[in-house]
Amino acid sequence: MLVVRKTVQMAVRKHLSRSFSASRNHLQERKGLVLGVFEKEAEEGGLHLTEAAARFDQSLSGKLSDLLKIAAPGLKKGKSRIFYGIHQDFPCVAVVGLGKDNEGVCGAENWDTKKENIRHAVSVGCKILQELEVNHVEVDDCGDAKSAAEGAVLGLFCYDQLKSKKKTRVTTQLHGSADVDDWKKGVVYAEGQNLARFLMEAPANHITPTAFANTIEEKVAPHADRVTVNKRPKAWIEEQQMGAFLSVTRGSEEPPVFLELYYNGCPDKKQLPLMLVGKGITFDSGGISLKPSQSMDAMRADMGGAATVCASIVTAAALKLPVNIIGLAPLCENMPSGKATKPGDVVTAKNGKTIQVDNTDAEGRLVLADALCYGLTFNPRAIVNVATLTGAMDVALGSAATGVFTNSDWLWEQLHKASVVTGDRVWRMPLFQHYSKQVTDCQLADLNNVGKYSRSGGACTAAAFLKEFVTAPHWAHLDIAGVMSNKDEVPYLSKGMSGRPTRTLVEFAAGLAHSG
Ligand code: BES
Ligand code: ZN
Ligand code: ZN
């Protein structure tokens, strides 16, 4: 025991002396390594190294396993230990706990526990190394290179663009594995989610409707051969007679944009497109039905639907998925002013239906109503809208899963299957007539923008409202209000806006691409 402790002390001393004698340049290139270990079954006790960790251990004549016996005899899932100076190429080595090695798809949890454990563990290792100012990290594939890459790239994200003091920028690389294609895929999926996180986290005076559209235009520029962008101005929105969308933007000084993305990934030009529609309220003050000021700042992320939809199309293009996708994002602010829509006003949507706007804070369904009517004119194979639509969705499911309201069992299965793979879960919600009656019973117009029993079943009455604008057989509404932000529930996402469910949308599109 004493001997091994001495080895550790020597290792630490050796590392320190090397660091102090190193040139500044060398310090700037500090390399780290993340290795995984599984827990053995209870009766066996101890740890079992991944293939990459075992090879690393062999190269050190068993030193890593010796150190682990002292420092982490039973390293638990998501826990870590750092070893300094044990390898000349890697001054810092993070060993992370992957849980049991026989995990897989879990019916009760609706996700793949093995993949989730890898994302968690790798993110923990990378974050610790980032804290230690390591700027290049090599990562064990831990048995699933795609999940390992997702854990690394999601774990290292932070929004510090506007701070003077920034976290260490860390580059990542696969260590000791041939699964480079899967690793690269995982990096692209995670970067997609990080793009959505960036747009959602950014303040509303930075990400205005115009800035949002410009950012997406920049992101698709490398894929210009397959992606077309249209940034439609207010005059176009007026020509389209999108009276519901226009009623929301009325109170704002910031010009609205109707953003269209066309991704042509399928060689068969006749293949019907998948249509994705995202709510793009770059700030939701509530309008004249003003929100309470506490936590109003979070409403800068009320464009989370547009952010996840656009980020998933950027990702589909980067992956060159063989599928056609159209993305629509009605972008505007919801603000109070002398020009703003007033409770009780009646507006006319693109399809001619009249809407009594009893609560100007229920604005998401108004912008989506017009975007859905427009989307249907493309005769899509499926139409999926994504929106931070109701606080009631957060009350119902919290951040465990996105609520899916759909008229199609086929579409539900596709979305659910994708979410089991990504771990960014979905849960089916009802579209009963029961709720439709509560929005169609309206004093002045065809529809009321709030249910007549106001708070009860708020996520369901909002979905029922959208249903009144949809004639397609395969439509799904994803209410992402509950998953919009993360405290510590998803361990591989740090605190802040989550970018969920970007990876599920990408996986869903990939599934459609492969099913033809
Ligand atoms: N953007 C909000 C919903 C929301 C709340 C998203 C919290 C994320 C976190 C939406 O526009 C809204 O205000 N909805 C109202 C509807 C109500 C007035 C019928 C709500 O949920 O309170
Ligand atoms: Zn609102
Ligand atoms: Zn809103």
Side-chain angles (χ1 to χ4, degrees):
M1 186 76 164
L2 199 67
V3 177
V4 191
R5 196 172 297 143
K6 267 202 174 138
T7 319
V8 180
Q9 284 167 353
M10 269 167 59
V12 171
R13 241 179 264 137
K14 204 169 150 197
H15 160 63
L16 284 177
S17 62
R18 191 178 343 206
S19 296
F20 285 127
S21 63
S23 69
R24 202 181 141 69
N25 202 25
H26 178 78
L27 272 180
Q28 280 171 353
E29 286 166 9
R30 255 154 66 95
K31 266 169 105 180
L33 177 63
V34 175
L35 295 172
V37 291
F38 296 103
E39 279 169 47
K40 282 195 181 155
E41 290 302 323
E43 63 276 12
E44 294 170 284
L47 299 169
H48 130 211
L49 305 184
T50 60
E51 283 179 26
R55 270 198 304 276
F56 181 84
D57 188 40
Q58 270 164 22
S59 77
L60 294 178
S61 316
K63 191 160 154 191
L64 180 67
S65 22
D66 286 347
L67 289 173
L68 280 169
K69 275 182 205 132
I70 317 164
L75 193 66
K76 293 274 177 261
K77 183 173 86 179
K79 300 287 175 202
S80 64
R81 295 288 184 274
I82 312 288
F83 298 101
Y84 301 97
I86 58 170
H87 191 286
Q88 61 175 22
D89 293 342
F90 303 104
C92 308
V93 176
V95 176
V96 292
L98 293 164
K100 306 229 159 56
D101 68 354
N102 56 357
E103 300 284 14
V105 173
C106 173
E109 289 295 335
N110 281 248
W111 67 26
D112 185 321
T113 306
K114 179 183 172 189
K115 290 182 192 297
E116 280 295 283
N117 288 354
I118 295 172
R119 292 181 189 109
H120 180 187
V122 169
S123 77
V124 167
C126 289
K127 275 193 270 193
I128 294 180
L129 294 175
Q130 183 178 42
E131 289 293 316
L132 294 170
E133 297 182 17
V134 168
N135 46 26
H136 182 75
V137 175
E138 293 197 12
V139 180
D140 181 349
D141 72 12
C142 303
D144 183 335
K146 185 174 174 219
S147 303
E150 289 176 340
V153 176
L154 292 171
L156 288 167
F157 173 85
C158 71
Y159 184 83
D160 58 8
Q161 275 82 350
L162 307 174
K163 294 193 185 212
S164 318
K165 194 171 180 302
K166 300 188 196 313
K167 280 201 176 173
T168 308
R169 293 285 175 268
V170 185
T171 52
T172 54
Q173 186 187 331
L174 181 61
H175 175 83
S177 161
D179 284 344
V180 183
D181 287 351
D182 273 0
W183 168 268
K184 282 187 186 157
K185 241 186 231 172
V187 169
V188 176
Y189 270 63
E191 281 176 345
Q193 183 167 350
N194 286 351
L195 170 59
R197 288 164 99 181
F198 165 81
L199 291 164
M200 291 169 75
E201 193 72 88
N205 63 332
H206 287 230
I207 296 292
T208 60
T210 307
F212 182 108
N214 291 343
T215 307
I216 293 301
E217 193 175 34
E218 274 169 35
K219 294 287 171 189
V220 297
H223 317 290
D225 53 330
R226 290 153 183 258
V227 187
T228 312
V229 181
N230 287 331
K231 298 184 287 183
R232 307 291 196 182
K234 188 170 170 210
W236 182 91
I237 303 165
E238 284 167 347
E239 270 164 36
Q240 290 292 320
Q241 300 185 299
M242 295 183 170
F245 179 21
L246 288 164
S247 78
V248 177
T249 186
R250 278 182 69 82
S252 169
E253 295 291 322
E254 208 52 68
V257 177
F258 192 96
L259 182 65
E260 294 180 274
L261 300 178
Y262 295 83
Y263 168 59
N264 292 308
C266 185
D268 175 6
K269 294 281 167 276
K270 282 188 291 219
Q271 193 202 60
L272 295 178
L274 162 65
M275 176 74 59
L276 299 176
V277 183
K279 169 179 171 182
I281 303 297
T282 57
F283 189 71
D284 181 11
S285 69
I288 297 296
S289 312
L290 196 65
K291 286 182 178 292
S293 54
Q294 206 191 2
S295 302
M296 202 201 267
D297 71 288
M299 287 299 107
R300 68 183 184 279
D302 207 23
M303 28 56 80
T308 54
V309 158
C310 294
S312 62
I313 294 175
V314 172
T315 310
L319 293 166
K320 297 194 164 47
L321 293 183
V323 64
N324 296 330
I325 312 177
I326 300 179
L328 305 177
L331 297 158
C332 73
E333 289 182 342
N334 183 25
M335 297 292 279
S337 86
K339 287 197 180 137
T341 297
K342 303 166 290 296
D345 284 0
V346 174
V347 301
T348 307
K350 181 172 169 58
N351 67 352
K353 287 201 181 187
T354 54
I355 306 164
Q356 181 174 335
V357 182
D358 272 355
N359 191 321
T360 64
D361 195 14
E363 83 299 340
R365 62 199 77 182
L366 298 175
V367 304
L368 286 173
D370 279 337
L372 286 167
C373 292
Y374 178 65
L376 293 171
T377 64
F378 294 85
N379 189 28
R381 68 199 279 206
I383 180 160
V384 176
N385 71 260
V386 186
T388 48
L389 205 63
T390 64
M393 191 67 240
D394 184 39
V395 173
L397 300 183
S399 57
T402 291
V404 176
F405 300 79
T406 179
N407 58 3
S408 163
D409 292 344
W410 167 79
L411 194 49
W412 162 248
E413 276 164 30
Q414 301 301 312
L415 288 162
H416 181 257
K417 191 172 72 179
S419 79
V420 171
V421 175
T422 62
D424 196 347
R425 295 181 291 202
V426 294
W427 191 254
R428 194 164 182 179
M429 300 286 290
L431 275 173
F432 301 142
Q433 276 299 317
H434 176 96
Y435 301 113
S436 302
K437 283 190 218 145
Q438 295 178 29
V439 290
T440 52
D441 183 359
C442 174
Q443 196 173 359
L444 304 177
D446 298 332
L447 289 166
N448 200 302
N449 82 325
V450 283
K452 73 172 169 175
Y453 306 124
S454 76
R455 287 167 60 85
S456 303
C460 307
T461 49
F465 178 93
L466 295 180
K467 186 166 169 255
E468 294 300 312
F469 294 87
V470 177
T471 49
H474 300 293
W475 162 68
H477 153 54
L478 274 54
D479 193 333
I480 59 166
V483 302
M484 177 179 85
S485 62
N486 195 56
K487 290 172 284 298
D488 56 6
E489 312 90 303
V490 180
Y492 48 88
L493 302 176
S494 38
K495 188 173 172 334
M497 298 308 169
S498 71
R500 293 171 67 187
T502 304
R503 286 180 305 112
T504 298
L505 293 174
V506 176
E507 188 67 20
F508 159 67
L512 288 193
H514 297 119
S515 69

